[in-house]
């Protein structure tokens, strides 16, 4: 397994929790996603990660579940959490990835597809039947090959869901209540990608890993926390 790297955003978030009393991520909202690229780095945003998340048939994010609180390793001077093993299974076609990333406060669904016929430029609403998102959920939109997003929606930009119903919703800029003005329907097929939360850690393999149809792949996630307490009064 490749070495895990903490993102700059996660280091900042950890400092807020530890020193400013910010609310920590929900323990049941950690999910691991896969991306078929090696271009992501510590400074990449969640929009960068989810924009590159794979969309292969049968792919789903996998929830990270820890069996306990772990114990302190006196030799390594760190608190070690139990190692978590995640299982990804390919469907009728193969899955391929090169980067795995851990999302905190994440939505379990990676993405849903829709087409230009599902966009209503007159009402500024997007129709996706039985979508799972609620008001305030964050989304990133990407076009499929040769597709063009509707004017008003910028690829890789984070938007928040506004006034959702069972089958449609509007979108707004983050922390805004004004719907985005969708000026046309664009063309082709698009993908709405869940962008809740923050990327905590990622690992890039030296080469892409392929999971053959019907096969499963086990991904091990070891987590260790350094001792950040005072030493000898300093």
């Amino acid at each position: 397994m490749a070495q895990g790297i903490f993102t700059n955003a996660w280091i900042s978030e950890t400092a807020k929790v530890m020193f400013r009393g910010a609310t920590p991520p929900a323990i049941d909202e950690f999910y691991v996603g896969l991306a078929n690229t090696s271009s992501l780095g510590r400074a990449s945003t969640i929009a960068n990660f989810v924009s590159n998340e794979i969309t292969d048939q049968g792919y789903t994010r996998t929830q990270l579940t820890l069996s306990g609180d772990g114990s302190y390793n006196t030799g390594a001077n760190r608190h070690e959490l139990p190692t978590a093993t995640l299982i990804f299974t390919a469907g009728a076609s193969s899955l391929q990835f090169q980067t795995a990333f851990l999302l905190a406060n994440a939505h379990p669904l990676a993405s849903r597809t829709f087409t230009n016929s599902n966009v209503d430029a007159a009402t500024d609403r997007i129709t996706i039947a039985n979508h799972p998102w609620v008001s305030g959920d964050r989304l990133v939109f990407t076009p499929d090959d040769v597709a063009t997003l509707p004017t008003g929606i910028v690829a890789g930009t984070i938007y928040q869901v506004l006034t959702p119903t069972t089958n449609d919703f509007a979108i707004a800029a983050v922390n805004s209540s004004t719907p985005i003005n969708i000026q046309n329907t664009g063309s082709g097929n698009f993908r709405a990608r869940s962008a809740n939360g923050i990327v905590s850690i990622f690992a890039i393999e030296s080469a892409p890993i392929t999971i053959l149809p019907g096969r499963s792949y086990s991904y091990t996630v070891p987590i260790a926390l350094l001792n950040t307490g005072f030493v000898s009064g300093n």
Side-chain angles (χ1 to χ4, degrees):
M1 176 184 171
Q3 181 178 2
I5 303 171
F6 287 109
T7 64
N8 291 343
W10 181 253
I11 294 171
S12 175
E13 188 69 16
T14 302
K16 292 175 185 177
V17 173
M18 291 176 63
F19 302 116
R20 296 176 58 189
T23 302
I27 191 63
D28 60 346
E29 294 180 1
F30 280 87
Y31 287 86
V32 173
L34 303 176
N36 191 20
T37 179
S38 61
S39 64
L40 298 165
R42 286 185 59 184
S44 298
T45 66
I46 187 172
N48 299 141
F49 279 92
V50 301
S51 292
N52 286 284
E53 192 167 9
I54 65 175
T55 59
D56 306 60
Q57 181 183 0
Y59 164 75
T60 59
R61 291 176 177 175
T62 299
Q63 187 174 25
L64 176 71
T65 302
L66 298 175
S67 60
D69 296 330
S71 60
Y72 189 80
N73 184 325
T74 56
N77 292 322
R78 65 187 184 189
H79 190 92
E80 296 177 341
L81 296 172
T83 297
T85 299
L86 307 171
I87 306 295
F88 290 94
T89 302
S93 58
S94 62
L95 300 180
Q96 180 174 278
F97 73 96
Q98 190 166 2
T99 298
F101 56 95
L102 179 61
L103 286 160
N105 283 348
H107 196 287
L109 178 75
S111 63
R112 289 281 298 274
T113 58
F114 65 105
T115 72
N116 64 308
S117 64
N118 299 123
V119 179
D120 191 331
T123 62
D124 297 323
R125 298 185 72 83
I126 298 168
T127 297
I128 299 179
N130 297 308
H131 69 82
W133 298 299
V134 299
S135 182
D137 276 345
R138 299 187 176 191
L139 299 176
V140 165
F141 297 90
T142 56
D144 285 0
D145 291 341
V146 307
T148 302
L149 282 171
T151 302
I153 301 177
V154 179
T157 296
I158 296 179
Y159 299 95
Q160 67 180 32
V161 174
L162 193 69
T163 60
T165 67
T166 300
N167 296 315
D168 74 347
F169 54 86
I171 57 173
V174 174
N175 298 323
S176 172
S177 59
T178 302
I180 292 295
N181 179 18
I182 301 176
Q183 300 168 36
N184 55 53
T185 63
S187 63
N189 300 320
F190 320 121
R191 190 165 288 269
R193 300 171 178 267
S194 298
N196 287 3
I198 187 171
V199 179
S200 61
I201 192 171
F202 66 98
I204 301 176
E205 301 292 338
S206 58
I209 293 174
T210 299
I211 309 173
L212 296 176
R215 300 289 184 87
S216 295
Y217 182 84
S218 297
Y219 206 86
T220 301
V221 181
I223 303 175
L225 302 180
L226 298 179
N227 176 13
T228 57
F230 293 110
V231 178
S232 300
N234 296 321

